[in-house]
Every structure is written in C-alpha cells, then in structure tokens.
Amino acid sequence: MKLLKIDIRNPANCMKGVMDRLGIPRKYEAEAVELFLAQYGEDPCTAHDIYFGISEIPFMLACEGWDGSRIARMEETVARALSVDWTGYDVPGAYRW
C-alpha cells in the first residue's frame, strides 16, 4: 500500500537506480526498463508501478530456463526493493549505465 502513495516523476531513472542498488544484472535491468517504458511510457507514476515492472525479472529468468533456486534468489532480491527509499532514486536527466 505504501508504494501506491509514492509518486515518481522520472520512472526510468528511478527504476534503473533501484535495480542498481539491488544488484540486478544489467541485462535484466535493461530488459525490465524497456518493457516498463513500452507499457507505461515516461509519464509520472507510483513506486508500485515500478516495483511491478521490476517483478517481471523472475519471470524472464524462468523463460530462459533458470532453475528454481536461482529464481527464488532473484525473487528475494526483488523483494528487497520494498524497503528502498524510492524518492532518492527519482532524479531527472539521463541515467548512466
């Protein structure tokens, strides 16, 4: 519920910053951001929308045939985003990979 109350003005930058903080591999970061932007665009949104986008990563891994234990570790990594200070990653400008 708290994520629904956090407004984000720069969703792509915020999403990339949060995933960097979590240590998600760049390949999956890029795929998740690309999918998110295709679905939502770059309009302001909530942290919940971004978290939902990041949550697609374990599905991507499953589609690539990763084993269950590795997918579970990624799910745990993604879940750590629930405790991140989302507003700290809501920055304008071009994000550097």
Side-chain angles (χ1 to χ4, degrees):
M1 288 296 290
K2 290 180 182 180
L3 294 180
L4 290 169
K5 297 176 184 177
I6 302 171
D7 293 321
I8 303 296
R9 294 177 185 239
N10 305 286
N13 283 351
C14 184
M15 186 176 194
K16 290 174 188 176
V18 168
M19 289 190 291
D20 277 349
R21 170 84 165 95
L22 298 174
I24 293 175
R26 300 269 188 211
K27 174 184 176 183
Y28 301 107
E29 262 187 37
E31 286 182 45
V33 170
E34 184 178 318
L35 181 60
F36 179 85
L37 292 175
Q39 292 174 340
Y40 294 97
E42 294 193 40
D43 295 330
C45 63
T46 66
H48 179 270
D49 297 324
I50 297 171
Y51 180 77
F52 188 72
I54 295 171
S55 296
E56 291 291 323
I57 294 173
F59 176 73
M60 293 175 194
L61 303 181
C63 290
E64 289 185 3
W66 284 37
D67 65 46
S69 63
R70 291 176 72 191
I71 293 170
R73 280 195 303 271
M74 182 60 76
E75 288 172 342
E76 290 172 1
T77 298
V78 169
R80 289 190 353 242
L82 295 172
S83 62
V84 167
D85 174 19
W86 291 82
T87 57
Y89 297 99
D90 187 13
V91 295
Y95 188 87
R96 293 187 178 174
W97 287 94

